[in-house]
Amino acid sequence: VPIVILETHVGEMDPIEMKETVMDPASRTLKRITMEDATAVAQTFMNLSGDSIMEIARYYGISNEDVFVIYDDISLKTGKIRIRQKGSAGGHNGIKDIILKLSSDVFPRLKIGVSDNKDKDLIDYVLGNFSKTDLKILNLVAKKTVNIIDDFVKHGVQYCMNKYNSFCVTEEDIN
């Protein structure tokens, strides 16, 4: 049974929260839940993401290949997504910790591009705000992410890579 971990941050101290959507094992579809219904709510600092994922995976007996990590990636243009079966942390401290705690870089992930602005200082960027345009783009990406998660649960990471790795929302899409 796959699990989906959403790893987000606004600054270094934002917790991970796995909530609102879980997979129904019987139908292999996603369903909305309330916090009271949640089986697990992982809350750790972003840089310690691996602790929560390791504990949830261990408790439920979930293999690394069935953990789907979703996170922001500053090396991808805002609106671009990239799905991978495995890979390095690419400088992302939360992913570094997940790789360390799972003792492997083999776990599916969905990277959501949040900038291609390499001129801005990383700390200023991470602690800053998105522009209105970027927020509109990321809202459309979030809507597509629901489909991607559902397809991951039903069909696996390879299917998602083939179907979605060319997906990108641009400014033209929001006007």
Side-chain angles (χ1 to χ4, degrees):
V1 174
I3 63 168
V4 177
I5 304 292
L6 302 175
E7 196 208 20
T8 63
H9 73 278
V10 179
E12 286 190 52
M13 306 272 269
D14 193 297
I16 299 170
E17 293 185 19
M18 188 174 73
K19 62 181 184 181
E20 292 186 7
T21 307
V22 295
M23 189 193 69
D24 176 16
S27 64
R28 294 189 63 80
T29 59
L30 297 176
K31 67 174 187 169
R32 285 283 195 208
I33 61 167
T34 64
M35 290 304 292
E36 293 79 26
D37 296 329
T39 304
V41 178
Q43 293 192 354
T44 59
F45 294 115
M46 186 272 298
N47 289 351
L48 301 175
S49 302
D51 291 336
S52 294
I53 293 173
M54 179 183 65
E55 290 302 319
I56 292 168
R58 183 182 299 150
Y59 182 83
Y60 290 102
I62 299 166
S63 70
N64 289 2
E65 292 80 13
D66 285 332
V67 173
F68 194 35
V69 178
I70 301 169
Y71 63 99
D72 62 340
D73 189 330
I74 63 165
S75 66
L76 290 176
K77 180 180 177 185
T78 301
K80 177 74 178 148
I81 64 148
R82 180 75 63 220
I83 301 167
R84 295 285 185 250
Q85 292 179 317
K86 61 181 181 174
S88 71
H92 194 290
N93 290 331
I95 300 303
K96 284 180 191 176
D97 193 59
I98 293 169
I99 291 170
L100 176 69
K101 301 297 173 32
L102 293 180
S103 301
S104 174
D105 68 350
V106 179
F107 55 87
R109 74 251 349 239
L110 166 59
K111 302 189 278 186
I112 298 174
V114 292
S115 177
D116 57 352
N117 182 356
K118 302 199 187 303
D119 297 331
K120 202 170 194 180
D121 181 62
L122 179 60
I123 292 173
D124 291 338
Y125 183 78
V126 169
L127 297 176
N129 295 317
F130 290 109
S131 70
K132 288 182 181 181
T133 300
D134 284 351
L135 285 173
K136 288 178 183 177
I137 289 171
L138 291 171
N139 185 45
L140 291 176
V141 171
K143 289 177 181 178
K144 182 58 74 175
T145 299
V146 172
N147 301 113
I148 295 169
I149 294 168
D150 192 49
D151 280 341
F152 172 76
V153 170
K154 290 178 180 175
H155 306 291
V157 69
Q158 189 65 48
Y159 176 89
C160 291
M161 289 169 54
N162 292 337
K163 185 172 181 179
Y164 297 107
N165 269 347
S166 62
F167 180 80
C168 184
V169 177
T170 65
E171 285 188 46
E172 292 81 36
D173 297 323
I174 62 170
N175 294 327

